[in-house]
Amino acid sequence: MCGIVGYIGFKKASEVLLKGLSYLEYRGYDSSGVALMTKGKIEIFKAPGKLNNLREVLLKEQNICNKSTSGIGHIRWATHGLPTELNAHPHTCNCGSLVVVHNGIIENYKELKNELEKYGCEFKSQTDTEVAAHLIAHEFSKCKDLMAATTNAVKKIQGAYAFCVMHKTMPDKIIVARKNAPLIIGVGEGENFIASDIPAIIEYTKKAIYLNDNQVAEIKKDSIRITDLEGNLLENKVEFLPFEPVALSKMGYKHYMLKEIHEQSDVARNVLQGKLTNSKSEIVLEDVKLTPKELKNIKRIQIIACGTSLHAGLVGKYILEKFAKIPTDVEASSEYIYRDTISDENTLTIGISQSGETADTITAIKQVREKGSHVLIITNRPDSTMARLADSLLPVNAGIEVSVAATKSYMAQLLSLYLLTLYLVQITNPESVKDKEIVSLKQEMLELPNKIEAVTNNTKAIKETAKKYSSFKDFIFIARGINFPTALEGALKLKEISYINATGYSAGELKHGPIAMLDETMPVLAILNKGCVYDKVMSNCEEAKARQAKLIGVTNFIDRKSKDLFDDILTIPDISDTLSPALNIVVLQLLAYYIAEYLGKDVDQPRNLAKSVTVE
Ligand code: AGP
């Protein structure tokens, strides 16, 4: 999960590269660097820490920057070696004639390094990427053709890579190659761009070529040549990028995360648009390619995902089993890929991923495809690697999500799962579509955007609660039933942006161990909607209170008992238990945000994290 950029054309390369890297900071931000092509020389500048440090370095090198109209750049999330200047990309061969930036992991870098040391290669850094620089240079010394050298080198590499390569004797070109890591070529007029992701190039061009796995490209300012690893010429189509640069601005909010939380009412409208028009209408999901016959043959559903997307999948389990009556398992991708799993043509596999580039989930999806399972991908990036592996696609259309903490994409995933569930019911059990519960669920979904707005427009109590509890070092989030995943997701939000130790538990599990931790230093946040488990959660809260824990209630129902029991209550508009996860989570997102903001944390770029985890 690093970000790479490249530019060749007529503009000042350092400016294009820095701007591109700033839009890729969400992919990793522990060091950065650029290589600028000048007359017969490649100048390299690097800096540890945030991108601003590199900006400072380049400000002092304007005499060189002004002369360079091509270059490559990198922003790093360290996988091999500490986040130091030495380990920052670009990396070079011994003599510095060839430079490389890389996103991904070279799994056989040790064997390659041992081999290259026999040819006198001297390694300065602890990175796997430096091995690639020496390997390509070694191949280049034999064939003197940069594209052929890169092709020969990547054939020896195992793992994931998106490379940009330059050689000082070939100032008119940049070579790129990719496998299991995204790489986009932005097509300009008399200039071309390279990036790991769309935000880095969207200000310059809306035309892009997606390089596919095992492809290599030679990029000049007025030409792009793509081949496979055997050197056969390929024609990748030029696609129109569906994003607007405005998506990349904070629109006046202090952080992208706050903006994206407030966008959720519109995101909800977006997700439902064209799919659900009224409470009696049919659900329309054009990209789901399962025929009614195939759908009727589904005996089991397995949902595979990571992090926040996994929590969305856990909510999906409740509604799929409740309404579609299909047994549903939910698995963390990183566990799934190392188990002897069972899938077949009667298994529907749903992969959920905001980025569509999460390595663990991609690996799992490839495994189930080999076993004949139909793969349906729910993603915010229909242009992603995962989307290209899908038999059916359910784009969530939440818009570019810049903040590392997933918020609006989670909302969109939840609603997509409700739509998919209702779609499956419609196909497999058409007469039940008129059931009161299903009609009222559809009606509630149509009313949801306004209810989300009611929460995001009334944040006073949430801000006060955030300030009151911001000094606690530990939190427990509890819920039961369909809101158990909400407790997990609320705890993850707080953990990842405030670094507070927050854990989500099933409320019923409290008495089986975690209650031992409770005292006045460990607040308990309980999510309890009026419904079948309300009284049970209330008694769990009483158990917590008896241990002196401070109690925060998130609920749509308040009575004398709850007023007496809870230290603080955060309310949501009235909503059924079934749809309440989509509303409760907005309160928890805002609570986490205001606690982290109050603590002065780097909300959009929390330490150690990256937006897209493209390594296993
Ligand atoms: C969510 O806030 C985190 N950033 C992280 O858990 C994320 O959900 C996880 O890495 C999965 O990412 P994906 O949805 O892009 O696959």
Side-chain angles (χ1 to χ4, degrees):
M1 52 290 216
C2 303
I4 65 175
V5 290
Y7 173 71
I8 189 160
F10 50 84
K11 292 182 174 73
K12 189 175 172 184
S14 58
E15 283 177 2
V16 178
L17 298 176
L18 273 176
K19 175 165 282 199
L21 290 176
S22 72
Y23 283 127
L24 297 182
E25 271 194 291
Y26 67 82
R27 300 173 64 84
Y29 29 84
D30 58 36
S31 59
S32 59
V34 294
L36 300 176
M37 182 66 81
T38 59
K39 278 230 175 325
K41 195 169 182 319
I42 295 177
E43 301 281 358
I44 292 177
F45 304 100
K46 305 181 183 183
K50 287 294 181 77
L51 185 61
N52 256 342
N53 299 342
L54 178 65
R55 206 171 267 119
E56 297 297 317
V57 167
L58 289 173
L59 270 179
K60 301 181 193 115
E61 303 290 348
Q62 286 306 298
N63 59 324
I64 293 172
C65 294
N66 290 332
K67 285 184 236 157
S68 175
T69 59
S70 72
I72 57 181
H74 184 272
I75 194 150
R76 186 167 182 249
W77 187 87
T79 54
H80 291 79
L82 296 172
T84 59
E85 182 170 336
L86 186 65
N87 288 331
H89 302 205
H91 287 287
T92 71
C93 58
N94 280 359
C95 63
S97 306
L98 182 140
V99 290
V100 173
V101 292
H102 166 228
N103 174 30
I105 276 199
I106 300 175
E107 287 165 0
N108 60 333
Y109 81 100
K110 285 203 174 82
E111 302 90 287
L112 292 170
K113 185 172 179 176
N114 295 337
E115 200 50 39
L116 289 161
E117 281 171 335
K118 292 176 192 159
Y119 294 98
C121 294
E122 289 156 16
F123 292 87
K124 300 185 281 291
S125 78
Q126 304 155 304
T127 67
D128 55 338
T129 304
E130 191 182 1
V131 172
H134 285 284
L135 181 60
I136 298 169
H138 177 68
E139 293 298 332
F140 182 74
S141 67
K142 291 186 275 184
C143 66
K144 300 294 179 212
D145 175 322
L146 196 54
M147 188 166 187
T150 306
T151 303
N152 296 339
V154 298
K155 281 179 180 174
K156 295 176 180 170
I157 288 175
Q158 292 158 24
Y161 57 79
F163 287 125
C164 291
V165 185
M166 292 198 306
H167 195 285
K168 71 175 185 181
T169 61
M170 307 192 160
D172 66 335
K173 66 180 76 171
I174 298 173
I175 305 296
V176 297
R178 72 148 278 180
K179 182 182 168 200
N180 296 338
L183 195 138
I184 299 163
I185 302 166
V187 183
E189 304 291 330
E191 59 183 0
N192 285 312
F193 307 81
I194 302 146
S196 301
D197 198 357
I198 290 170
I201 59 172
I202 192 76
E203 283 199 17
Y204 301 107
T205 179
K206 289 215 149 169
K207 295 191 294 181
I209 293 172
Y210 289 89
L211 206 60
N212 295 318
D213 280 351
N214 301 315
Q215 292 185 349
V216 184
E218 174 195 77
I219 298 169
K220 296 183 174 178
K221 63 183 180 180
D222 43 20
S223 70
I224 296 167
R225 185 161 65 91
I226 300 172
T227 69
D228 60 18
L229 298 186
E230 306 320 315
N232 304 310
L233 217 47
L234 301 170
E235 271 301 311
N236 290 26
K237 77 176 191 305
V238 178
E239 304 190 25
F240 182 76
L241 296 176
F243 297 109
E244 291 304 327
V246 70
L248 302 173
S249 89
K250 288 183 198 162
M251 305 292 279
Y253 286 96
K254 185 174 181 184
H255 295 104
Y256 281 110
M257 183 177 178
L258 189 58
K259 172 195 166 197
E260 289 155 4
I261 291 171
H262 282 263
E263 283 179 338
Q264 290 183 117
S265 46
D266 285 340
V267 166
R269 291 186 186 94
N270 247 356
V271 172
L272 299 173
Q273 196 161 43
K275 301 188 182 83
L276 174 62
T277 37
N278 62 61
S279 61
K280 301 254 184 357
S281 64
E282 288 222 326
I283 305 288
V284 179
L285 296 182
E286 283 126 32
D287 294 312
V288 177
K289 300 292 180 237
L290 280 157
T291 63
K293 183 169 174 296
E294 281 172 324
L295 280 170
K296 286 185 179 120
N297 287 338
I298 290 171
K299 298 288 176 281
R300 185 172 78 90
I301 293 173
Q302 58 185 359
I303 298 174
I304 307 174
C306 301
T308 290
S309 297
L310 177 63
H311 299 152
L314 288 168
V315 173
K317 173 185 172 70
Y318 283 91
I319 49 178
L320 283 161
E321 292 186 340
K322 176 181 173 72
F323 293 105
K325 310 292 182 211
I326 303 175
T328 302
D329 298 316
V330 184
E331 307 248 9
S333 313
S334 54
E335 287 301 313
Y336 186 88
I337 54 184
Y338 297 107
R339 271 208 1 254
D340 295 325
T341 54
I342 297 158
S343 296
D344 58 25
E345 58 286 349
N346 296 327
T347 308
L348 171 62
T349 298
I350 300 174
I352 305 177
S353 175
Q354 188 284 130
S355 63
E357 299 298 346
T358 297
D360 288 327
T361 310
I362 288 173
T363 303
I365 293 303
K366 287 178 176 174
Q367 285 179 359
V368 300
R369 280 171 60 87
E370 282 162 21
K371 296 178 181 175
S373 171
H374 186 99
V375 171
L376 187 154
I377 296 296
I378 298 177
T379 183
N380 195 33
R381 298 303 298 267
D383 57 326
S384 63
T385 303
M386 225 177 282
R388 292 162 191 266
L389 289 169
D391 299 307
S392 292
L393 191 60
L394 199 39
V396 302
N397 301 321
I400 288 189
E401 185 174 69
V402 177
S403 188
V404 167
T407 50
K408 64 175 183 174
S409 63
Y410 180 71
M411 178 65 70
Q413 289 169 350
L414 286 185
L415 286 177
S416 299
L417 285 160
Y418 283 94
L419 286 170
L420 178 65
T421 301
L422 294 170
Y423 178 75
L424 292 178
V425 171
Q426 186 173 287
I427 302 278
T428 56
N429 187 5
E431 59 287 355
S432 68
V433 167
K434 296 200 177 24
D435 282 4
K436 201 161 104 1
E437 200 174 5
I438 287 190
V439 171
S440 68
L441 174 58
K442 287 181 179 178
Q443 186 52 39
E444 277 207 312
M445 288 168 72
L446 293 164
E447 293 163 359
L448 182 67
N450 292 340
K451 292 186 177 181
I452 294 170
E453 236 151 46
V455 175
T456 52
N457 289 342
N458 297 287
T459 58
K460 184 170 176 293
I462 300 171
K463 279 180 190 166
E464 287 164 359
T465 306
K467 186 172 179 186
K468 178 177 172 183
Y469 289 86
S470 57
S471 58
F472 286 94
K473 300 298 173 223
D474 302 285
F475 269 86
I476 282 191
F477 286 58
I478 61 170
R480 284 179 184 248
I482 198 167
N483 275 299
F484 166 50
T486 310
L488 297 176
E489 175 57 15
L492 175 62
K493 286 284 100 45
L494 185 58
K495 264 197 283 276
E496 65 177 326
I497 63 174
S498 69
Y499 317 149
I500 291 172
N501 173 32
T503 307
Y505 280 109
S506 157
E509 275 298 291
L510 208 54
K511 56 187 174 298
H512 297 289
I515 201 166
M517 298 190 292
L518 295 190
D519 59 25
E520 65 290 344
T521 69
M522 184 174 289
V524 172
L525 183 146
I527 301 144
L528 58 168
N529 285 85
K530 198 63 190 144
C532 60
V533 292
Y534 178 86
D535 296 335
K536 287 281 180 219
V537 179
M538 276 298 277
S539 38
N540 298 137
C541 291
E542 282 159 346
E543 292 157 9
K545 196 71 184 178
R547 276 77 185 176
Q548 317 304 322
K550 298 261 180 283
L551 270 181
I552 304 168
V554 176
T555 183
N556 59 354
F557 175 78
I558 298 179
D559 60 5
R560 166 59 43 210
K561 190 177 171 189
S562 52
K563 272 193 182 142
D564 293 344
L565 181 64
F566 289 98
D567 298 283
D568 296 273
I569 296 182
L570 299 172
T571 57
I572 63 167
D574 193 34
I575 194 164
S576 69
D577 204 32
T578 301
L579 195 55
S580 64
L583 213 47
N584 287 319
I585 195 55
V586 181
V587 174
L588 303 186
Q589 290 166 349
L590 286 165
L591 184 68
Y593 171 79
Y594 284 116
I595 288 176
E597 196 248 354
Y598 187 76
L599 294 174
K601 300 299 183 190
D602 193 345
V603 171
D604 285 328
Q605 295 170 7
R607 67 185 182 194
N608 308 337
L609 291 184
K611 182 67 179 171
S612 171
V613 185
T614 55
V615 291
E616 279 186 12

